[in-house]
């Protein structure tokens, strides 16, 4: 049996490790365009020089040797034939497979704003090469604009705040009325807004980029951005953090189903083609590290003949710790905040601790915890186990693990 894994990030690496754990003898080949293993979640630490490349690595130095994985690095997959069961690489090499895990990840999405795409001072933030370009351009920049205040956008700002060019002026533009709109409400956002403002970051919320104005000296370079309200911002570097797109171009001539979001998978991580599986950002559904890891473990378990299925518990779970303010967000915040049928319970204090739970008919649909995260474990368990909190006759924020289980007359446990 030859397993092939495409991608060397969270899904690819964890999938390969799980395959080796379940199958000690079969051949495992991992292919990646990257020639290094690194965590994409902490790229901002590389920009800020808090970590070097080795410190971004999340596997042991002997990971590939120890797990007997043949790593083909620095090669891009250009096509996959499901009929021939073979993969073509950028150097023309053909790699045969019996079963394959597609964990090719995603790339930054540059929106179709006039003059924005393809310009040399416009960069996304999803890879080490993106970081290198940002750092090189930032050396000679005075004004930097970050478009998008989601997790990647805030990462970019935080990384640049600690970049060695201390004369940088950073502007952050976001269409929503708050930072991290997929994870936070306005109350939780304000905690981070204050910190950014203390660090002299100019926040421009509720605003949309209309157009990029080109430099008179160099038409491949942008000199300013025009926002709604006829606001013009001068910029030497633009970091675009407006979403991602799955890396599925190499599948265009295959029979593998891809929809508008990305690779289509079932609960076992299978595609519509036998022996071809997928995991992680390439599905375009919930692109977060924890979900990618879980999906890869489920998919590779099934590849190895161990039947497992996915649940969607981690789809909308995010944790962050910008400016030493930890926050946990659970659920689809936009849906929760716009659902008038949900009951909302809030607990907060003067020390910045904030808890908000949105629930209906005894079941939790979303929550935010900021500051003291000690309630996170209980809250996560309540949601994961789909526990009816209406059965607990005490305040929602006073629930503890002892409330989870009771012993019935027949000595069985129940909630």
């Amino acid at each position: 049996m030859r397993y092939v894994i495409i991608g060397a990030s969270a899904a690819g690496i964890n999938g390969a490790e799980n395959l080796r754990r379940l199958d000690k003898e079969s051949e495992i080949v991992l292919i990646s365009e990257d020639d290094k293993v690194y965590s994409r979640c902490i790229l901002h630490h590389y920009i800020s020089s808090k970590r070097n490349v080795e410190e971004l690595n999340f596997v042991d130095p002997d990971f590939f040797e120890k797990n007997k994985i043949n790593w083909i690095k620095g090669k891009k997959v250009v096509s996959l034939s499901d009929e021939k069961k073979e993969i073509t690489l950028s150097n023309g090499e053909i790699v045969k497979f019996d079963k394959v895990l597609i964990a090719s990840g995603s790339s930054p999405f540059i929106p179709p704003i006039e003059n924005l795409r393809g310009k040399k001072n416009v960069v996304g933030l999803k890879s080490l090469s993106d970081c290198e370009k940002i750092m090189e351009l930032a050396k000679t920049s005075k004004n930097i604009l970050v478009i998008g205040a989601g997790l990647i956008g805030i990462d970019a700002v935080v990384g640049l705040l600690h970049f060695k060019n201390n004369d940088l002026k950073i502007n952050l533009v976001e269409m929503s009325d708050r930072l991290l709109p997929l994870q936070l409400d306005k109350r939780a956002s304000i905690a981070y807004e204050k910190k950014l403002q203390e660090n002299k970051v100019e926040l421009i919320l509720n605003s949309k980029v209309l157009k990029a104005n080109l430099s008179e000296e160099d038409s491949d370079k942008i000199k300013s951005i025009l926002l709604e309200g006829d606001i013009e911002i001068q910029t030497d570097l633009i970091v675009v953090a407006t979403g991602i797109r799955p890396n599925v171009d190499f599948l265009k001539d295959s029979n593998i189903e891809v929809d508008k979001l990305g690779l289509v998978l079932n609960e076992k991580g299978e595609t519509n083609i036998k022996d071809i599986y997928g995991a992680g950002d390439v599905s375009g559904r919930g692109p977060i590290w924890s979900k990618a890891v879980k999906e890869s473990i489920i998919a590779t378990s099934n590849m190895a003949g161990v039947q497992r299925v996915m649940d969607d518990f981690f789809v909308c779970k995010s944790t962050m710790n910008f400016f030493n303010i930890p926050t946990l967000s659970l659920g689809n915040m936009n849906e929760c905040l716009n659902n008038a049928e949900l009951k909302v319970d809030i607990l907060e204090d003067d020390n910045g601790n904030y808890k908000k739970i949105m629930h209906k008919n005894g079941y939790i649909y979303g929550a935010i915890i900021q500051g003291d995260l000690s309630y996170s474990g209980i809250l996560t368990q309540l949601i994961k186990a789909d526990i009816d909190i209406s059965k607990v006759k005490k305040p929602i924020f006073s629930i503890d693990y002892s409330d989870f289980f009771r012993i019935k007359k027949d000595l069985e446990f129940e909630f």
Side-chain angles (χ1 to χ4, degrees), residues 21-165:
R21 184 179 64 82
L22 296 173
D23 187 336
K24 306 294 185 189
E25 302 301 328
S26 292
E27 182 182 2
I28 299 176
V29 178
L30 189 145
I31 304 168
S32 71
E33 190 171 2
D34 288 307
D35 60 2
K36 299 179 179 64
V37 174
Y38 57 91
S39 170
R40 296 170 198 276
C41 298
I42 51 176
L43 287 174
H44 55 293
H45 290 318
Y46 185 70
I47 294 174
S48 65
S49 299
K50 288 186 175 179
R51 295 195 185 201
N52 57 32
V53 173
E54 289 71 29
E55 290 168 329
L56 296 181
N57 193 336
F58 59 93
V59 299
D60 295 333
D62 62 345
F63 174 81
F64 292 99
E65 293 78 13
K66 181 175 60 181
N67 290 289
K68 293 183 291 183
I69 297 168
N70 174 20
W71 182 18
I72 302 176
K73 58 185 175 181
K75 301 292 187 299
K76 185 176 181 179
V77 173
V78 295
S79 66
L80 185 154
S81 171
D82 52 285
E83 295 171 342
K84 295 180 180 178
K85 284 197 164 183
E86 65 181 32
I87 291 166
T88 303
L89 306 185
S90 50
N91 63 347
E93 183 181 353
I94 303 294
V95 179
K96 295 279 189 179
F97 64 84
D98 295 304
K99 295 184 179 182
V100 62
L101 176 72
I102 299 172
S104 48
S106 60
S107 299
F109 170 66
I110 308 297
I113 294 169
E114 184 178 350
N115 294 331
L116 187 66
R117 288 179 169 173
K119 298 301 179 286
K120 59 187 180 185
N121 59 339
V122 176
V123 195
L125 178 55
K126 201 71 174 64
S127 65
L128 266 180
S129 60
D130 292 335
C131 290
E132 299 284 1
K133 186 174 181 180
I134 289 171
M135 294 163 73
E136 183 60 31
L137 290 170
K139 289 178 185 174
T140 55
S141 295
K142 292 183 179 179
N143 299 290
I144 296 181
L145 174 67
V146 177
I147 303 176
L151 288 169
I152 293 176
I154 302 296
D155 276 349
V157 171
V158 170
L160 288 165
L161 279 175
H162 298 283
F163 190 68
K164 51 190 174 184
N165 181 354

Side-chain angles (χ1 to χ4, degrees), residues 97 127 134 152 156-157 169 171 173 189 222 235 237 264 274 279 290 295 324 326 329 398:
F97 64 84
S127 65
I134 289 171
I152 293 176
V157 171
K169 180 180 179 183
N171 292 284
V173 178
S189 170
I222 293 169
T235 184
L237 166 61
V264 178
K274 185 177 182 294
S290 54
E295 285 182 347
N324 293 319
S329 171
S398 299

Side-chain angles (χ1 to χ4, degrees), residues 208-269:
K208 186 177 179 181
V209 176
L210 299 180
K211 178 185 176 184
N213 297 316
L214 301 178
S215 165
E216 289 81 7
E217 293 80 23
D218 186 347
S219 61
D220 283 333
K221 188 175 180 181
I222 293 169
K223 69 169 185 179
S224 66
I225 288 289
L226 183 65
L227 304 179
E228 285 180 327
D230 203 28
I231 299 171
E232 185 174 2
I233 297 177
Q234 301 297 314
T235 184
D236 305 302
L237 166 61
I238 300 167
V239 180
V240 181
T242 53
I244 57 170
R245 291 294 181 271
N247 296 326
V248 292
D249 285 351
F250 64 95
L251 300 176
K252 62 184 178 183
D253 295 324
S254 75
N255 296 301
I256 300 169
E257 184 180 4
V258 174
D259 66 11
K260 62 180 181 180
L261 295 177
L263 188 64
V264 178
L265 304 170
N266 66 16
E267 62 183 5
K268 295 181 178 179

